[in-house]
Amino acid sequence: MKRHLISAADLTRDDAVLILDTAEEMARVADRPIKKLPTLRGRTVVNLFFEDSTRTRISFEAAAKRLSADVINFSAKGSSVSKGESLKDTALTLEAMGADAVVIRHHDSGAPHRLATSGWIGGSVVNAGDGTHEHPTQALLDAFTMRRRLGEGVGSDLSGRRITVVGDILHSRVARSNVHLLTTLGAEVTLVAPPTLVPIGVQQWPCEVSYDLDAVLAKSDAVMMLRVQRERMNAAFFPTEREYARRYGLDGERMARMPEHAIVMHPGPMNRGMEITAEVADSPRCTAVEQVTNGVSIRMAVLYLLLGGNEPALTAGTGTSTRTEESK
Amino acid sequence: MSKILIRGANVLGGEPQDVLIDGETIAAVGTGLSADGARVIEAAGQVLLPGLVDLHTHLREPGREDSETVLTGTKAAAVGGYTAVHAMANTFPVADTAGVVEQVWRLGRESGYCDVQPVGAVTVGLEGRQLAELGAMHDSAAGVRVFSDDGKCVDDAVIMRRALEYVKAFDGVVAQHAQEPRLTEGAQMNEGVVSAELGLGGWPAVAEESIIARDVLLAAHVGSRVHICHLSTAGSVELVRWAKSKGWDVTAEVTPHHLLLTDELVRSYNPVYKVNPPLRTEADVLALREALADGTIDCVATDHAPHPHEDKDCEWGAAAMGMVGLETALSVVQHTMVDSGLLDWAGVADRMSFRPAHIGRLEGHGRPIAAGEPANLTLVDSAYRGVVDPAGFASRSRNTPYEGRELPGRVTHTFLRGRTTVVDGILA
């Protein structure tokens, strides 16, 4: 794996499978009475959040702490950034404090790429969501959830699986990362949205695009509903919330038309009544809560692989022996 | 003033000739001219062009002297082979009164490196609502003929119509920055395959083209002339070609960077490639080159836009738009147009001197290289190849997209009314 995780497109199939497999090992730690590994003891992970995001930040925080890393949370609000400090000076400050990894969430697309390539810092950079560009750990946790729920074992990918992503593709970093990662893992991706919320240039993406949700539901192994921000309505992307919900929302009736094994996913936070009804959100087929749990395992795996090198994640031998058991 | 003999230069790229400068004017052009009493510049193998004229330069003074001043900007111009530049109006305060344009004009006279012709704002404060005192700016010592809200589009159709009509009284021209504002809210780069992938706000070609379509129709309707700044799309070329075919008085410019660079470069998220209008696709670049070659696009204009280091040493979204261009323009034009066989040196003289001077109604510039003409000249070593190093720029800013790139050609001498402003590639 590379030194940074900026884009899901940077991951090869083997990289991605390694992360998913490592996350399986990490998930086991969560089942222990003491949910902690000494792996990153003495290493410093900075959560650099320029955008409000409670769930992603605490997920990274939990992941780093379970690996025994020291965690520094830096949020733009009330910090030097709100006094006009530049990204560069913030980065130089963190570098001076000895950050081994910087987990960055930023409102500008490309900010993590810039941080990783500008020479401002020497540590690893993990993209925790940049503008409308990418959110690679979200895609990884989604893939992890799919692999588990669709009954694929450790070491496998998502070959032949059909995944439908529904909603605001244009502004979604989750969609972009998922298109890259899921196709790398062998899945067939279909994006569904009103034409106003599909980017110009999407025809170059390795996926299908449909404007008709009903037409693709029956052949989907997983349907991922994206959050649609209510302010999009004011920019005339669609006429009303109700019309959006009627045409692109997932309700019980539509869910019933999905194959029996198919799951419903949502990266959260959900707009109940908008893209997803309460009936669907609360059904056992919806993996939203499970995705949050899996997020911690995935982020542990990413931090471990970026910072921990090649030593086994679990205490000597455990990792390997678990894997052997699994492959029996 | 002394005499200078430029010996054996390829005048407009043609046969070697001698050019004798006496004082501020060209005294003779021919072969075997006497060097008696003259300083001799051996120019064998070099190309002699009329002094270059830029219709689109941001000198930043008054207000942003941290990025450029009239003095540093005109030094950069001289190094690039320019003898006249048009200073855009988006300064602080805006050049929307006779007072400000006269200040810029006077600073230009004091600098002595090249002539500075101020451009006046079309509307007060570039806000697009109320016409600035265009007549007063024209009647001032600065003698403004070109008006532009550049950086902003005159998007109100009625204001644009009135401006086009009004400047007819003194043979003025409105230079439009064609950018439909609603279609470009939050726009960060060309809208297309690359923007979709990078998740950067898209800047559709239609935002430029729809304004150009409207403005050529308006110009035709009121019988005025209109100039389109920095064309960047193949569709814009088609519209200008169509307007010209109707016989309408429409002119257009293209920047060197739109002749060479594409939006693929934005994949680096390096803000040095952030510019307005944005870098477009390969197909656009090729259409622009072809249009410059066939004359649909009248001239090359640099849109030299200096910015301080910190405004580019940051994330893409926070960065300023613009690139410096005066010191690399001729090299980029040689690379994209001459070395590719699309344009000869006489064509370069036309697109970078004769036509821009004519559009700006600028006297004493863009003249033929002939006896009796003002000695505004540029001598170019076209065989030279060098790597662009911004550390050596005369401009106060370094925001060039060509750093580390090898480009052909070098201006060895620039003559402003017979006086050398650049000698052997170094500011005099």
Side-chain angles (χ1 to χ4, degrees), chain A residues 14-15 17-26 28 147 153-156 301 304-305 309-315 317-328:
Chain A
D14 289 350
D15 288 337
V17 171
L18 174 65
I19 296 172
L20 301 186
D21 291 351
T22 307
E24 284 291 353
E25 294 180 21
M26 298 298 178
R28 258 174 228 114
R147 197 175 76 164
V154 168
S156 66
Y304 163 72
L305 290 168
N310 300 316
E311 300 157 36
L314 306 183
T315 42
T318 322
T320 338
S321 64
T322 346
R323 206 175 291 178
T324 322
E325 274 170 39
E326 206 69 53
S327 58
K328 274 176 191 167

Side-chain angles (χ1 to χ4, degrees), chain A residues 69-315:
Chain A
D70 294 320
V71 180
I72 297 171
N73 287 313
F74 186 110
S75 75
K77 255 186 201 155
S79 74
S80 46
V81 171
S82 62
K83 295 172 191 161
E85 187 175 63
S86 67
L87 177 63
K88 178 181 179 174
D89 285 325
T90 305
L92 293 176
T93 303
L94 299 177
E95 174 72 359
M97 288 177 182
D100 295 295
V102 175
V103 176
I104 177 174
R105 159 70 62 98
H106 201 286
H107 45 82
D108 276 333
S109 299
H113 184 277
R114 199 75 181 120
L115 195 62
T117 56
S118 59
W120 299 331
I121 58 165
S124 292
V125 175
V126 180
N127 182 1
D130 62 328
T132 54
H133 178 223
E134 286 221 35
H135 194 356
T137 58
Q138 178 70 44
L140 285 161
L141 75 88
D142 291 338
F144 182 85
T145 307
M146 289 174 209
R147 197 175 76 164
R148 278 193 155 185
R149 286 289 288 252
L150 299 176
E152 308 280 0
V154 168
S156 66
D157 56 21
L158 294 169
S159 288
R161 292 299 188 172
R162 292 192 284 199
I163 316 296
T164 301
V165 182
V166 187
D168 184 357
I169 308 299
L170 178 62
H171 301 96
S172 177
R173 50 197 175 207
V174 176
R176 281 175 180 75
S177 286
N178 265 304
V179 168
H180 287 306
L181 183 72
L182 296 177
T183 51
T184 297
L185 288 171
E188 293 164 25
V189 179
T190 302
L191 304 175
V192 179
T196 46
L197 290 174
V198 176
I200 299 284
V202 77
Q203 59 279 2
Q204 298 289 315
W205 292 11
C207 60
E208 298 291 315
V209 175
S210 169
Y211 306 135
D212 183 357
L213 179 57
D214 291 313
V216 299
L217 282 177
K219 47 186 180 182
S220 302
D221 295 302
V223 177
M224 186 186 301
M225 304 305 297
L226 299 175
R227 175 182 170 78
V228 176
Q229 294 182 352
R230 292 200 154 86
E231 56 262 35
R232 302 289 176 228
M233 204 181 80
N234 304 325
F237 286 104
F238 46 87
T240 63
E241 279 180 43
R242 291 317 312 150
E243 168 140 332
Y244 182 88
R246 272 195 299 272
R247 293 177 67 86
Y248 296 100
L250 191 61
D251 58 10
E253 198 183 310
R254 281 195 168 119
M255 185 169 66
R257 275 183 266 136
M258 290 164 49
E260 215 157 291
H261 70 276
I263 55 171
V264 176
M265 308 181 72
H266 197 298
M270 293 190 272
N271 282 319
R272 287 170 183 252
M274 179 77 166
E275 71 269 4
I276 192 165
T277 62
E279 181 190 357
V280 177
D282 296 331
S283 85
R285 300 177 77 172
C286 179
T287 62
V289 176
E290 207 175 315
Q291 286 168 264
V292 176
T293 309
N294 294 341
V296 178
S297 303
I298 279 291
R299 284 157 186 143
M300 286 174 78
V302 166
L303 289 172
Y304 163 72
L305 290 168
L306 289 177
L307 293 180
N310 300 316
E311 300 157 36
L314 306 183
T315 42

Side-chain angles (χ1 to χ4, degrees), chain B residues 85-148:
Chain B
V85 297
H86 288 73
M88 274 299 172
N90 63 339
T91 49
F92 303 94
V94 171
D96 57 2
T97 62
V100 179
V101 293
E102 281 194 358
Q103 183 199 357
V104 173
W105 175 77
R106 199 180 58 253
L107 287 167
R109 302 246 299 185
E110 288 165 4
S111 90
Y113 284 95
C114 91
D115 286 351
V116 174
Q117 174 56 58
V119 172
V122 177
T123 64
V124 174
L126 308 176
E127 297 203 333
R129 287 197 280 275
Q130 185 192 346
L131 286 185
E133 290 194 348
L134 309 178
M137 288 189 274
H138 173 260
D139 294 340
S140 75
V144 176
R145 281 266 180 63
V146 181
F147 298 90
S148 182

Side-chain angles (χ1 to χ4, degrees), chain B residues 49-62:
Chain B
L49 299 174
L52 306 183
V53 175
D54 193 12
L55 261 181
H56 196 141
T57 315
H58 296 277
L59 293 178
R60 302 291 188 224
E61 191 178 7

Side-chain angles (χ1 to χ4, degrees), chain B residues 403-414:
Chain B
E403 180 171 7
R405 195 185 271 259
E406 190 184 90
L407 288 174
R410 186 177 76 127
V411 171
T412 60
H413 293 75
T414 308

